[in-house]
Amino acid sequence: MVDETNPRPKLEVVPSAEQEPNKKEPDKEELDEEELEFRKLRRDLPGVAGASAAGIVAIGTAKDPGKNEFFRTHPDYRPIVGMVNVEVGMEKQYFAVTADMEAALVNIGITTYNHALYLTITSRGAVRVVPVRCAGSDGVQNEYNRTKEIGLIQGMSEWVRLYTDLENGVYKVFSAPAGRFAEPVWPALKPAKIFRLAFREKGRLIDSVNHALFQRWAARDKDAK
Amino acid sequence: MTKTLSDFEQVILADFEFAAQSDKRPDVVCLAWRDLAVGVTHTAWRDQLGAVPPYRTDAKTLFVCFVANAELGCHLALGWPLPVNVLDLSPEFRLLTNGRNVPEGRGLLGALAYYRLPSIDSKLKEAMQARIIKGWPFTAEEREKILRYGGSDVDALAQMLPLMLPQIDLELALHRGEFVAASAAMEHHGVPIDLEIFTQLADQRAWCAVRDAMVPIVDAEYGVYVQDKDGEWHFNMDRFQQYLDRQEIGWPRTDAGKLNMRRKTFENMSKGHPQLEGLRQLRYTRDKMRAVELAVGSDGRNRTVLWPFKSKTGRTQPKAARWIFSPAVWLRSLIKPEPGLAVAYVDWSSMEFMIAATLSDDPVMLEFYRSGDPYLSFAKRVGAAPTDANKDTHRQLRDRYKTGLLSIQYGVGSETLAGRLGVSTFEAHEMLKQHRELFRVYWAWAEDWLAHALNSGMMQTALGWQCATGITEFKSRSLMNWPVQSTGADIMRVACIWATRRGLGLRAPVHDALLLEAPIERIEAEVKLLRELMRRASRVVLNAEASGTLELRTDATIIRYPERYGDERGEAIWENVLALLKIHQDQQTATTTAGSGSNR
């Protein structure tokens, strides 16, 4: 509710000196109070001065939240989605698959795997969806995926960083000291919108046999060799 | 807690129709309004409007409109109080679509098309607007049509509001609305102009004579204009090239290899080579000022729509030809306070440099700012100025380095920088290198900012102004410039709101400065207060924490009646204009006298 005891001052045409000869100068307390009032309007994103997550309209998808970057994981966002991935150079691209396309892909020899999607935000403000392949029907999950998921879940309550332990073939988690970063400001987006931004709008949703990737795998694209 | 519509007892949607009065203030024709809860649109012709609005304007009421500076200008013209809470859907729509293509434009019709809402035909709207602007008298049939038209705009607002609301941060929107109200008050008062000289300049015959006579005087130094057989002067590119060769100035070229004659290029080159300033102003005056189109009312005040939030960075962007603070800086000498009054030009010192320093938290940049003049400090650091140089002894050099430093900040290349500073490409290259070494924290931040902007698809300032990237905004220089300019606009908004709340007589926002008007006996006290407000405004925006101490300094120049405002860049041309006006007048008087003598 509007604070009745402290309504905002009314804007009026500035009166001339003759009309208001004894205008009172504001005191320091009054100005300090106003400064605090305006400070509440700030929409900061921790780590990126002057930036905010409030208006984010593009979300990337990546195998991790960012190389050596501290991140937080959204505590509520964790849909399970059938996916395929494609290696493009050094990058791994993830494609979500609609339920009705899974059978069509199987028919051309492509298997989809269920992935849990985690929404992350780095200390520098990059918002990414990180897919983690779920355990198979035998209950076995790749160690990298299992330990990555541990780190992502830990990121729900504190700022963490993932790094690889090549010797043991696992991810390890490094926690940031408490208070190093402020609490994350999550983009005000509904789960469906997050999915749309991360996949559909980037052409990363295989939802028909006309999808370029399906066409390529089925050798139906004209440039196929 | 986030504000919502339910926080208000009444939500009013309103739209005025108005023509222009002789003082350029709105001449209200009619008003249409609707109480959102009641859902009925009312209309009233001018003569039906009373001394107070037919709706509440208190803190429990939300006033919703599209382009509020017009609606609030009408309030002021009618002597009505301004609403406490203003939700202007025009900047909100601009904000939602900033950085994106909006095929139907950002006006009300464009917004309706964006939300796929029905609207009246654009041709009909144009015709109605043209008829209303033509002004009184109106026939009974026209009155009826105009009232219906005004009502249709309010109906459109009622349809659009629920679709836009979920996308609006109401608290920030009200902050923007309050700034639009402050802008409307500035427009209402206008900037004091020397009406005697302006009237002479506005006379088309006198102006043409001055404009033509000015060419040989100013061009004597350059020799680039030629006169055709009809006596018309033309800028000659070959002669300009010869002048550049004589002066050994390397001029930027287009892809086709021709001299780049864009206004901005000329502006930048003039900063690097101050001897070009006279030619730049002459060229602008000849090309862009076929007539002096300053919007000056019969009361001697320059009033034009300030267009708050028109720029992508959220800065105010009035139409240059109609505004006194246009690129023809000599015109600013027309600013003259009325008897008993004074004006003050109060600007934030090195605003863009300091904003970049605070956003990046670069310790060296911050130290440069704290030590005084960052531009001269850099010139000293690169060996271009002696250690004892100051703003008075090395003004031109300081101005050049200001241009250079800000250009480097936004990622300029060595060739362009060389042109702007009037140095060799090698020297410019070295300077770029030194800048990157010296301000390496800034450069790391700039790269982070670019990555964040492109990764997230969005840039946003601390006070919520935003711009999408990747569609129309993808050039790195533009992306690096955006946060600095937009943060500057944030600071300007806060300062204007506070100054207006305190009853200070703001007259215009000028990029990084404010023009203030007050009685002579109060001007110093009001300047002191304004400077304090400007300092605090910078503190709110520049510091994420309340305990932060980063802030901008300000400078103030006070002009008391009978003095006039002056910008040293335009002084020479102003003197010429005055002299030529005098000659023209004397000739006119002589002709008239001779004519009347022969008649006798």
Side-chain angles (χ1 to χ4, degrees):
Chain A
M1 291 296 288
V2 172
D3 183 0
E4 277 192 87
T5 57
N6 187 23
R8 291 201 294 147
K10 200 157 74 176
L11 282 162
E12 283 178 335
V13 180
V14 180
S16 66
E18 297 87 281
Q19 288 168 297
E20 202 183 12
N22 301 315
K23 195 159 76 172
K24 181 184 160 285
E25 298 299 330
D27 54 31
K28 187 178 173 298
E29 285 72 27
E30 209 177 316
L31 294 175
D32 286 347
E33 203 177 301
E34 208 159 36
E35 203 173 316
L36 281 177
E37 178 201 329
F38 273 62
R39 187 157 284 288
K40 288 179 194 151
L41 292 173
R42 293 186 65 99
R43 304 285 189 268
D44 293 284
L45 180 72
V48 184
S52 163
I56 280 172
V57 293
I59 294 178
T61 307
K63 67 171 185 172
D64 55 44
K67 193 172 168 59
N68 293 329
E69 288 214 62
F70 283 98
F71 67 91
R72 289 293 294 271
T73 312
H74 197 284
D76 303 323
Y77 186 83
R78 192 183 178 273
I80 306 285
V81 177
M83 302 191 88
V84 291
N85 63 57
V86 181
E87 303 273 350
V88 181
M90 298 286 283
E91 191 198 352
K92 191 180 265 189
Q93 291 186 350
Y94 290 89
F95 290 79
V97 179
T98 56
D100 56 328
M101 281 302 295
E102 287 189 14
L105 282 167
V106 169
N107 283 340
I108 60 167
I110 304 290
T111 311
T112 56
Y113 297 97
N114 277 345
H115 286 65
L117 303 185
Y118 291 90
L119 184 68
T120 64
I121 186 168
T122 67
S123 59
R124 296 196 297 177
V127 181
R128 293 191 184 97
V129 167
V130 179
V132 181
R133 188 166 153 181
C134 302
S137 52
D138 53 0
V140 176
Q141 192 180 16
N142 169 304
E143 273 302 285
Y144 271 117
N145 287 323
R146 190 182 68 79
T147 49
K148 187 200 290 183
E149 198 159 20
I150 289 170
L152 286 163
I153 290 167
Q154 199 172 328
M156 290 176 180
S157 52
E158 61 176 324
W159 288 95
V160 293
R161 181 168 64 78
L162 290 178
Y163 63 100
T164 43
D165 178 350
L166 293 172
E167 291 291 310
N168 296 301
V170 293
Y171 277 105
K172 286 198 169 168
V173 187
F174 183 88
S175 301
R180 169 64 181 85
F181 302 107
E183 279 302 293
V185 180
W186 291 102
L189 300 172
K190 291 179 179 157
K193 175 95 187 254
I194 293 170
F195 186 82
R196 184 159 65 80
L197 291 172
F199 296 101
R200 186 185 292 278
E201 290 198 352
K202 291 196 159 104
R204 301 265 180 99
L205 177 66
I206 303 177
D207 56 353
S208 97
V209 291
N210 295 322
H211 190 278
L213 204 55
F214 187 95
Q215 293 276 314
R216 178 147 64 92
W217 281 333
R220 291 185 199 163
D221 56 332
K222 63 177 179 182
D223 297 327
K225 291 178 181 168
Chain B
M1 206 175 101
T2 312
K3 270 192 162 61
T4 64
L5 281 199
S6 60
D7 291 328
F8 301 96
E9 289 174 1
Q10 198 176 38
V11 177
I12 295 294
L13 313 171
D15 182 59
F16 283 89
E17 301 304 330
F18 56 92
Q21 296 186 59
S22 62
D23 64 2
K24 312 290 180 195
R25 282 175 174 153
D27 182 7
V28 174
V29 170
C30 68
L31 164 68
W33 78 98
R34 178 195 284 208
D35 180 333
L36 190 66
V38 179
V40 179
T41 300
H42 303 276
T43 54
W45 200 251
R46 164 71 175 267
D47 50 21
Q48 296 169 302
L49 298 173
V52 289
Y55 40 75
R56 287 164 54 185
T57 52
D58 57 84
K60 290 281 192 182
T61 305
L62 178 66
F63 181 87
V64 184
C65 56
F66 200 91
V67 188
N69 36 321
E71 294 3 289
L72 302 178
C74 289
H75 265 241
L76 292 168
L78 291 167
W80 291 358
L82 291 178
V84 174
N85 298 297
V86 176
L87 172 58
D88 184 352
L89 294 185
S90 167
E92 297 313 307
F93 182 61
R94 150 66 77 175
L95 187 65
L96 292 170
T97 56
N98 204 13
R100 297 177 202 175
N101 289 317
V102 187
E104 308 288 332
R106 290 190 168 83
L108 180 60
L109 292 187
L112 290 169
Y114 183 86
Y115 288 104
R116 296 182 185 166
L117 292 170
S119 64
I120 66 166
D121 180 63
S122 61
K123 295 271 183 240
L124 174 63
K125 191 172 179 73
E126 280 169 25
M128 291 303 295
Q129 284 175 336
R131 174 62 196 96
I132 296 164
I133 287 167
K134 216 168 136 190
W136 312 86
F138 297 97
T139 65
E141 190 192 349
E142 283 172 340
R143 283 173 65 138
E144 194 195 322
K145 275 186 184 170
I146 291 169
L147 286 174
R148 217 170 32 235
Y149 164 67
S152 72
D153 275 359
V154 169
D155 295 342
L157 284 177
Q159 288 180 297
M160 206 159 67
L161 181 63
L163 298 178
M164 287 187 74
L165 266 180
Q167 299 170 284
I168 292 176
D169 181 331
L170 195 52
E171 210 168 1
L172 282 175
L174 293 178
H175 160 70
R176 288 187 279 269
E178 196 174 359
F179 173 68
V180 179
S183 300
M186 287 190 248
E187 278 178 40
H188 180 77
H189 288 286
V191 178
I193 297 291
D194 183 334
L195 202 53
E196 193 189 330
I197 297 180
F198 172 74
T199 312
Q200 295 171 37
L201 283 175
D203 176 77
Q204 190 60 21
R205 279 176 60 190
W207 171 242
C208 285
V210 168
R211 210 169 134 261
D212 285 342
M214 208 192 309
V215 178
I217 296 172
V218 179
D219 188 49
E221 190 185 329
Y222 308 98
V224 300
Y225 275 86
V226 288
Q227 208 169 14
D228 65 17
K229 58 183 179 354
D230 299 324
E232 186 75 11
W233 290 98
H234 299 279
F235 188 91
N236 184 289
M237 296 294 273
D238 291 335
R239 285 182 166 219
F240 183 51
Q241 180 64 71
Q242 287 162 17
Y243 170 78
L244 294 174
D245 292 342
R246 283 198 302 276
Q247 295 284 319
E248 296 181 349
I249 296 173
W251 193 270
R253 289 180 179 272
T254 63
D255 291 342
K258 293 180 177 168
L259 293 172
N260 184 340
M261 300 305 285
R262 285 174 53 223
R263 184 164 67 82
K264 197 74 195 159
T265 308
F266 229 109
E267 225 171 83
N268 288 330
M269 290 301 289
S270 304
K271 285 175 183 162
H273 305 274
Q275 67 268 37
L276 287 166
E277 181 59 19
L279 184 61
R280 181 192 77 78
Q281 290 200 47
L282 176 66
R283 198 173 138 79
Y284 181 86
T285 305
R286 290 207 48 88
D287 292 355
K288 300 284 178 192
M289 293 179 66
R290 296 267 159 205
V292 176
E293 293 173 358
L294 272 186
V296 178
S298 50
D299 59 351
R301 313 287 291 195
N302 171 226
R303 289 189 186 91
T304 185
V305 184
L306 293 173
W307 294 117
F309 303 103
K310 179 85 185 292
S311 145
K312 273 183 187 167
T313 58
R315 282 198 188 270
T316 298
Q317 206 171 56
K319 196 172 176 200
R322 303 181 66 77
W323 202 39
I324 189 69
F325 290 98
S326 72
V329 287
W330 62 268
L331 267 179
R332 297 179 191 181
S333 296
L334 278 171
I335 299 174
K336 186 176 176 183
E338 290 162 30
L341 295 176
V343 292
Y345 185 86
V346 189
D347 66 330
W348 281 282
S349 312
S350 312
M351 188 186 212
E352 291 179 34
F353 181 88
M354 182 55 171
I355 291 174
T358 51
L359 289 178
S360 61
D361 203 16
D362 186 310
V364 184
M365 282 179 98
L366 290 170
E367 186 48 41
F368 268 45
Y369 188 81
R370 284 192 194 105
S371 69
D373 191 316
Y375 309 122
L376 262 183
S377 298
F378 185 75
K380 288 175 192 171
R381 185 67 75 101
V382 298
T387 48
D388 58 349
N390 60 47
K391 216 171 171 175
D392 298 322
T393 58
H394 290 73
R395 186 162 198 92
Q396 283 195 351
L397 182 105
R398 186 247 176 211
D399 288 347
R400 276 168 52 198
Y401 271 80
K402 177 183 175 183
T403 308
L405 215 56
L406 293 178
S407 308
I408 296 173
Q409 200 169 294
Y410 305 134
V412 73
S414 53
E415 280 190 22
T416 313
L417 181 66
R420 288 182 193 176
L421 291 180
V423 297
S424 68
T425 313
F426 174 75
E427 282 173 283
H429 179 78
E430 283 302 298
M431 206 176 291
L432 284 172
K433 213 172 116 193
Q434 282 181 322
H435 191 282
R436 283 188 174 265
E437 283 168 6
L438 198 56
F439 304 136
R440 55 180 175 276
V441 177
Y442 165 77
W443 283 103
W445 170 83
E447 278 162 28
D448 270 3
W449 175 270
L450 270 179
H452 173 259
L454 292 170
N455 271 344
S456 66
M458 183 60 75
M459 302 181 283
Q460 181 157 327
T461 65
L463 293 191
W465 187 252
Q466 63 186 36
C467 181
T469 62
I471 299 166
T472 61
E473 288 300 305
F474 50 83
K475 290 182 180 167
S476 61
R477 282 179 205 171
S478 172
L479 297 182
M480 281 156 76
N481 188 17
W482 193 90
V484 175
Q485 298 302 336
S486 304
T487 301
D490 273 1
I491 296 172
M492 173 66 86
R493 274 199 296 282
V494 175
C496 285
I497 289 172
W498 282 348
T500 309
R501 283 184 181 187
R502 304 275 165 230
L504 295 184
L506 290 190
R507 297 298 175 249
V510 195
H511 192 70
D512 59 357
L514 284 165
L515 190 75
L516 176 76
E517 186 179 37
I520 289 175
E521 65 275 14
R522 275 175 40 196
I523 190 72
E524 293 209 4
E526 304 222 340
V527 165
K528 191 177 160 202
L529 174 58
L530 180 60
R531 293 181 72 175
E532 173 65 8
L533 295 175
M534 288 167 77
R535 183 180 75 84
R536 283 173 179 262
S538 72
R539 204 159 68 184
V540 166
V541 177
L542 295 181
N543 298 283
E545 305 296 328
S547 55
T549 54
L550 298 169
E551 58 189 33
L552 287 163
R553 294 186 297 268
T554 55
D555 291 319
T557 311
I558 298 176
I559 302 106
R560 296 171 178 83
Y561 177 86
E563 295 165 6
R564 65 174 70 247
Y565 182 92
D567 186 312
E568 64 179 23
R569 291 171 296 166
E571 270 169 13
I573 289 204
W574 172 251
E575 293 303 327
N576 282 329
V577 168
L578 285 187
L580 292 169
L581 264 182
K582 174 89 176 53
I583 292 168
H584 176 76
Q585 269 183 335
D586 291 347
Q587 282 170 349
Q588 291 297 105
T589 314
T591 313
T592 315
T593 314
S596 57
S598 63
N599 284 342
R600 274 198 297 273

